[in-house]
Amino acid sequence: MSVQDYFRDVAAELGSLLRGDEVFTCSFAGEDSDFVRFNRGAIRQAGSVSQRSLGIDLIEGRRHVGGRVSLVGHLDEDRATLARAVERFREMRAHVPEDPLLSYAQDVKSTEHEAENHLPSSERVLDDAAAAGREHDLVGIYAAGGTYAGFANSLGQHNWDRRYSYNFDWSFYRTADRAAKASYAGFDWDTAEFQLRVDAASDQLEHLGRTPRTIEPGRYRVFLAPAALLEIFEMLSWGGFGLRAHRTKTTPLLRMIEGEERLHPSVSIRENTRDGVAPAFQDAGFLRPAEVPLITGGEHAGTLVSPRSALEYGEPTNGANGAEAPLSVELAPGNLSRDRVLDELGTGIYISNLWYLNFSDRSACRTTGMTRFATFWVENGVLDAPLSVMRFDETIFRMLGENLIGLAEDRELLMDPGTYDRRSTHSARLPGALVDEFTLTL
Amino acid sequence: MPGSLEALFRDVAPAVEFCSLRRVHRRSEGVAVRRGHLHPPRSSEDLGAMVTVIDRGGLGYAATSDLSRSGLAAAAGRARDWAHDTAGRAVMDFGDLARDTASGRYESPVEKPWDAVPLGDRIGIVRDEAERLKSGDEIVDWGASLYHEDEETLLLTTDGMRIEQRFQVLVPGLNATANRGTESQTRSLAGGALCRQGGLEVLDQIGFREAAPRISEQALELLDAPNCPEGELDLLLAPDQMYIQIHESIGHPIELDRILGDERNYAGTSFVTLDMFGHYSYGSELLNITFDPTRPGQLASYAFDDEGRPAERQFLIRDGVLLRPLGGAVSQARAGVEGVANSRATSWNRPPIDRMANLNLEPADATLEDLVSQVDDGVYMESNRSWSIDDSRNKFQFGCEWGRRIRGGALAEVVRNPNYRGVSATFWRSLAGVGDAGSLQVMGTPTCGKGEPNQAIRVGHASPPCLFRGVRVFGGA
């Protein structure tokens, strides 16, 4: 039986447990994943994780209680678990007042996305990784397998998303904290393509072998590669784009929505579900539109609105999750060609990666963080020497506003290698950014 | 269930050198009220098991939520295959690993069980405190929450080990955000760090029912406060900032798997090297750090780690000198150094790695008033809100919710956006004062992130307030 058919049976079983006017919504999550962890080219840990779980919301009128339960994956074994959960939620519901912010999809819109499995055998990947690890100090993780997401409700809606993907996220270390970071993610493993990425990282490793240079804290012209810019976007995503954060004045973009600040006119940000890899439905059954403009021409253009915020603040939902954070964010490209990046940078710093960002002053959208892996001093358009890690402390309004010189015309699709609880389906499509007067503090 | 699981394990364990099964059953419930609205309570149940096999020198694992006979048999076979596939390619010959066989039990101390109070009353507790946070029009966002976990673990091995542990955890939360124009300031219940093992008695221990008015009042107060000044000043840190200073710039750097390089692609490496243990001066003579999984009620107390090693209290830094790392059995075997029993997994679906458990700064003999009196020109900071440190765990920057100037040995005006930065390798040598046992607070965080695949786990930190000399402090934009 396919996982989708099993999920249909689970939803039908839940339906059979309802009483009176009860309604249920449920969201299925599952994966069959392999994880192989490397250090110094050898295997540190290798294993598999097979998991199924179901989030359930049991509703009667405007009262409801929910939760998530683990599932075995065979309905005969799971019937008792589902019955216990429904009974527990029913008992709890008796203690709960009506919820004025309860919202779930009531227009039945079913969807289905079922990808084919073209994943390589683990043996093939281990061989390819071993070859790369023979030449270099390789550390990282290979994660691969099927991921499943589903939604169903007692109104008859059924949404399904099945993908088979891999994400090899690794570093080649030169010494101490200097390394070339690389990744190879997708759906069809191609040894030749993997080798190209290995070669590119190897080339960067050569530059890291030069005598390092030390610089003083101060303001520098920098190029933030797409992976570095992603870290900035993850900070922006922490309350920057959600309606709830805007209305409660906890957004780091507070000064933008109050009209005091704006970003550079070339900055246009949108949530692009159409070209992302996240499922197009959310836990209450609402579908996400193909795209949601968030910042257009440097100015606030829209927010991500969860169903609860929609009721709380009187705006229509656009299928955002509870955190109201983007899952498939993208920044419009600029016109800085790849072969002009170092020339345009001139004398300054090429930053491949940033790390461990946080807010120094959230109301001012001022962030701090570290450079990581490969950071180079560039002299007159030529990579000169690797730099030791440096701390920056800068407002995003300056970084992507008055001090933004330009955005690259090429963008990278960055697939999130995150695996907290389960493998992430988040992604981002970003160019690099050339920024002047970028403040380094330590 | 555990009894039948033992029989199943005996049946499905493959004919290999070593096999273990680690089952985790976690029941959790969350109650939250935000801006006067009760979020629908969530009651969840997570259940699964990991089978680990060591054979032919390799080690493999397979985790599954399918605890049927066929599911466990499939997992055992997959774990065996991984062990064989990785044999000769791994970071060590896992067949050389010494194994413990002692069995035992552990249970969190609980005085007022979560379930002994009806759900309606639990909601009432949260709703009451949430209402008390809304003290004026400028409080624009406010909320209260309680989160409870009841986790039972069972570890079985083909060597005959049987370890049962039960952890009950309470994570309370209170927060209020005040806004005026383009300035917003948030105060919370100790930055979320007042979480402990136990039942609802934790609320009395931490003063949950008395905190809301102060939190709300201080959020409003911050709107009128000047920014924290910039300069090299003396810095007095409250326990709810000390916990994360310890966590980030002592705990992570001395994790043995980081020192061995396992985390270099994700959580990072360390400025600490193996040759430092036994003589390196990590801090001033006032710095005493213990690994203490035996402290009753602390968030990460336990009797055995997830590989079955008996846990005991150990000094990691004594009188400022670095003595031993945070490393479990696998890391100890690879590095050839003594460590502690800290090989832990976040749940059944992740393999154990080196974690902190409870990492505490031992008290000395100064009261908070004594410490303040020793400062001529400085800043007192409370409640972490921002943390950032480099991948070697050296260059850090922290921000707090609330600060006060100290002048002439006395607390002065409130300041907002208090931040400071420094370097781990030198910062702890500026430790000039440590609070006494009466000023120590037991804290922790439920979500320390690390590992590939990623794992977020509970860790505990207890600390008194501490005084540091000549630290770079600064305010907001």
Side-chain angles (χ1 to χ4, degrees):
Chain A
M1 175 184 279
S2 72
V3 182
Q4 182 178 194
D5 287 342
Y6 160 72
F7 174 53
R8 284 186 193 279
D9 289 351
V10 165
E13 179 69 17
L14 270 182
S16 75
L17 295 170
L18 296 182
R19 289 183 193 160
D21 294 330
E22 285 182 337
V23 172
F24 80 82
T25 66
C26 71
S27 56
F28 180 85
E31 67 175 317
D32 294 298
S33 296
D34 290 342
F35 297 109
V36 184
R37 189 178 195 196
F38 300 89
N39 183 13
R40 302 188 196 285
I43 295 170
R44 170 64 185 91
Q45 284 169 321
S48 304
V49 174
S50 178
Q51 56 183 342
R52 313 276 186 268
S53 67
L54 191 74
I56 303 169
D57 198 17
L58 187 67
I59 303 160
E60 187 178 56
R62 300 203 68 82
R63 296 177 202 273
H64 64 132
V65 169
R68 180 162 286 276
V69 293
S70 298
L71 296 175
V72 166
H74 310 297
L75 187 59
D76 287 346
E77 306 266 0
D78 288 320
R79 279 199 177 92
T81 300
L82 295 171
R84 269 200 316 274
V86 166
E87 194 52 40
R88 186 169 74 248
F89 298 154
R90 197 172 277 142
E91 287 171 8
M92 292 173 68
R93 200 177 55 208
H95 299 276
V96 171
E98 290 193 342
D99 179 6
L101 304 184
L102 168 64
S103 177
Y104 56 94
Q106 302 198 36
D107 294 333
V108 173
K109 292 178 180 173
S110 297
T111 58
E112 180 178 318
H113 177 273
E114 283 236 324
E116 295 296 315
N117 183 359
H118 299 294
L119 293 175
S121 67
S122 56
E123 290 76 13
R124 181 175 166 199
V125 175
L126 290 183
D127 288 345
D128 287 351
R134 272 194 291 276
E135 302 290 327
H136 304 293
D137 176 1
L138 181 153
V139 56
I141 187 164
Y142 172 75
T147 56
Y148 322 104
F151 172 84
N153 61 24
S154 50
L155 307 177
Q157 182 165 329
H158 178 89
N159 305 93
W160 183 249
D161 187 284
R162 182 188 72 180
R163 293 166 199 263
Y164 294 92
S165 63
Y166 62 84
N167 196 329
F168 192 7
D169 184 74
W170 84 92
S171 311
F172 287 151
Y173 263 78
R174 181 82 196 196
T175 180
D177 58 5
R178 279 193 283 283
K181 184 87 166 69
S183 67
Y184 179 37
F187 311 97
D188 295 279
W189 182 272
D190 180 338
T191 297
E193 175 63 26
F194 173 63
Q195 190 58 46
L196 283 176
R197 291 164 192 260
V198 167
D199 292 344
S202 302
D203 288 346
Q204 199 176 52
L205 211 52
E206 288 301 312
H207 292 294
L208 289 168
R210 298 179 187 175
T211 304
R213 179 174 180 145
T214 301
I215 59 171
E216 293 298 314
R219 291 189 165 181
Y220 294 89
R221 189 175 175 100
V222 303
F223 180 76
L224 298 168
L229 196 58
L230 175 62
E231 298 291 331
I232 303 291
F233 269 66
E234 291 193 346
M235 291 305 293
L236 276 177
S237 299
W238 183 6
F241 302 127
L243 179 65
R244 184 172 61 247
H246 280 226
R247 293 297 174 88
T248 57
K249 314 294 186 188
T250 54
T251 175
L253 295 180
L254 182 59
R255 294 185 182 188
M256 172 183 270
I257 61 171
E258 295 293 333
E260 281 190 7
E261 297 276 5
R262 55 164 297 157
L263 298 180
H264 192 277
S266 66
V267 173
S268 291
I269 300 169
R270 62 179 176 168
E271 168 77 333
N272 184 350
T273 299
R274 179 181 48 229
D275 296 329
V277 293
F281 50 87
Q282 52 89 270
D283 286 353
F286 292 97
L287 303 189
R288 305 183 213 285
E291 63 176 67
V292 178
L294 301 170
I295 291 176
T296 302
E299 297 187 341
H300 170 61
T303 52
L304 298 170
V305 185
S306 70
R308 290 185 71 81
S309 287
L311 283 181
E312 186 168 6
Y313 300 111
E315 289 204 10
T317 181
N318 47 29
N321 56 16
E324 298 182 334
L327 308 178
S328 312
V329 70
E330 71 168 34
L331 171 62
N335 52 19
L336 183 60
S337 67
R338 182 182 304 192
D339 55 6
R340 292 283 305 157
V341 164
L342 292 183
D343 285 339
E344 293 293 331
L345 176 57
T347 295
I349 306 170
Y350 185 99
I351 299 173
S352 298
N353 300 85
L354 293 175
W355 165 249
Y356 221 130
L357 277 63
N358 214 316
F359 288 108
S360 304
D361 182 349
R362 188 180 177 89
S363 285
C365 206
R366 177 175 157 189
T367 64
T368 186
M370 297 298 306
T371 64
R372 190 177 179 187
F373 297 116
T375 304
F376 296 99
W377 181 254
V378 176
E379 190 89 35
N380 297 319
V382 177
L383 284 183
D384 179 60
L387 291 179
S388 299
V389 296
M390 294 292 289
R391 172 167 296 285
F392 75 90
D393 198 341
E394 185 60 272
T395 78
I396 294 177
F397 292 125
R398 275 199 295 263
M399 195 188 311
L400 296 180
E402 64 200 68
N403 290 339
L404 179 66
I405 299 167
L407 296 168
E409 64 180 11
D410 296 326
R411 292 186 294 178
E412 284 187 25
L413 176 62
L414 300 157
M415 306 268 275
D416 182 8
T419 49
Y420 285 105
D421 297 325
R422 60 184 73 92
R423 291 171 57 210
S424 171
T425 54
H426 299 188
S427 64
R429 193 181 302 272
L430 304 174
L434 187 60
V435 177
D436 210 2
E437 300 278 309
F438 189 74
T439 307
L440 300 180
T441 57
L442 186 64
Chain B
M1 182 67 176
S4 62
L5 191 68
E6 283 184 273
L8 270 181
F9 176 58
R10 281 195 298 272
D11 285 352
V12 304
V16 292
E17 186 180 331
F18 171 80
C19 181
S20 69
L21 182 146
R22 183 169 51 83
R23 171 186 178 270
V24 179
H25 186 188
R26 178 183 293 145
R27 284 164 291 208
S28 61
E29 186 180 305
V31 178
V33 172
R34 192 191 136 264
R35 286 175 54 83
H37 298 299
L38 174 71
H39 278 244
R42 286 186 65 80
S43 169
S44 296
E45 194 164 0
D46 185 28
L47 175 63
M50 172 172 285
V51 179
T52 302
V53 164
I54 295 176
D55 204 36
R56 302 178 191 170
L59 183 150
Y61 67 82
T64 180
S65 59
D66 181 355
L67 299 189
S68 67
R69 176 182 297 273
S70 63
L72 288 174
R78 192 80 183 108
R80 179 198 56 211
D81 292 346
W82 277 118
H84 293 170
D85 288 347
T86 58
R89 297 170 159 188
V91 294
M92 68 173 286
D93 184 332
F94 288 97
D96 293 340
L97 204 56
R99 298 198 291 269
D100 284 287
T101 56
S103 295
R105 302 170 64 91
Y106 169 85
E107 192 156 337
S108 299
V110 174
E111 294 172 21
K112 295 182 184 174
W114 176 259
D115 291 333
V117 175
L119 174 61
D121 291 351
R122 298 197 292 268
I123 292 171
I125 293 170
V126 174
R127 188 183 287 283
D128 287 351
E129 298 315 310
E131 282 176 7
R132 277 143 47 89
L133 288 163
K134 174 64 173 168
S135 62
D137 291 343
E138 289 181 316
I139 298 293
V140 293
D141 197 24
W142 65 99
S145 60
L146 293 177
Y147 174 77
H148 178 260
E149 275 187 4
D150 183 351
E151 176 185 303
E152 294 174 273
T153 67
L154 173 67
L155 178 63
L156 306 169
T157 74
T158 47
D159 292 337
M161 176 189 286
R162 185 182 204 284
I163 292 171
E164 276 186 282
Q165 302 195 90
R166 184 178 181 190
F167 307 100
Q168 295 200 58
V169 168
L170 192 71
V171 182
L174 296 170
N175 66 278
T177 298
N179 169 263
R180 187 183 303 147
T182 56
E183 187 64 42
S184 292
Q185 290 287 333
T186 298
R187 267 308 252 153
S188 69
L189 183 66
L194 282 170
C195 38
R196 294 182 185 173
Q197 287 188 16
L200 289 166
E201 73 278 6
V202 170
L203 298 181
D204 301 327
Q205 295 168 7
I206 65 172
F208 184 76
R209 291 180 178 86
E210 293 80 48
R214 175 181 52 81
I215 288 170
S216 175
E217 178 188 323
Q218 290 183 344
L220 291 167
E221 187 180 26
L222 284 165
L223 292 179
D224 293 316
N227 256 309
C228 179
E230 179 158 7
E232 289 216 350
L233 300 174
D234 288 350
L235 177 63
L236 179 56
L237 297 179
D240 60 1
Q241 170 56 29
M242 278 302 300
Y243 90 95
I244 194 127
Q245 179 73 55
I246 296 164
H247 179 96
E248 303 289 5
S249 80
I250 293 180
H252 281 308
I254 63 172
E255 288 168 342
L256 194 47
D257 59 346
R258 294 179 73 113
I259 295 169
L260 290 167
D262 291 353
E263 292 283 340
R264 290 176 297 163
N265 186 58
Y266 178 57
T269 179
S270 177
F271 72 92
V272 173
T273 52
L274 286 175
D275 60 341
M276 291 179 177
F277 291 98
H279 63 86
Y280 177 72
S281 176
Y282 207 103
S284 77
E285 290 184 352
L286 290 169
L287 183 62
N288 288 285
I289 297 288
T290 54
F291 169 82
D292 190 2
T294 68
R295 188 181 186 102
Q298 198 166 356
L299 193 60
S301 292
Y302 53 82
F304 301 88
D305 73 6
D306 286 328
E307 291 177 337
R309 311 285 167 161
E312 59 183 17
R313 183 173 185 261
Q314 298 275 3
F315 271 87
L316 306 182
I317 296 174
R318 190 164 218 160
D319 300 331
V321 176
L322 180 63
L323 299 178
R324 68 168 66 203
L326 285 162
V330 171
S331 294
Q332 289 176 44
R334 292 164 63 197
V337 298
E338 291 285 313
V340 295
N342 70 325
S343 198
R344 304 170 61 209
T346 185
S347 190
W348 58 269
N349 58 3
R350 294 291 182 263
I353 55 176
D354 293 341
R355 303 306 301 242
M356 282 180 222
N358 296 329
L359 190 72
N360 300 338
L361 194 149
E362 296 296 317
D365 54 9
T367 64
L368 179 62
E369 291 71 27
D370 293 337
L371 295 172
V372 170
S373 72
Q374 293 172 34
V375 178
D376 185 49
D377 187 13
V379 181
Y380 169 70
M381 297 189 191
E382 245 184 51
S383 306
N384 179 264
R385 72 173 190 186
S386 176
W387 59 101
S388 172
I389 190 163
D390 73 47
D391 60 307
S392 299
R393 298 281 151 172
N394 233 338
K395 293 181 176 180
F396 61 75
Q397 179 172 316
F398 293 104
C400 292
E401 293 177 358
W402 193 77
R404 284 185 76 171
R405 286 286 272 133
I406 307 175
R407 290 194 192 86
L411 288 168
E413 75 274 16
V414 171
V415 293
R416 74 184 183 206
N417 303 318
N419 290 282
Y420 66 99
R421 66 173 82 96
V423 177
S424 297
T426 53
F427 176 76
W428 292 100
R429 293 174 193 162
S430 69
L431 176 63
V434 174
D436 59 12
S439 64
L440 179 139
Q441 289 192 42
V442 179
M443 307 193 142
T445 174
T447 54
C448 170
K450 186 183 168 185
E452 293 179 305
N454 305 148
Q455 307 193 39
I457 206 165
R458 299 185 292 263
V459 299
H461 300 296
S463 177
C466 289
L467 172 63
F468 300 85
R469 299 290 187 197
V471 179
R472 172 61 57 177
V473 304
F474 57 99

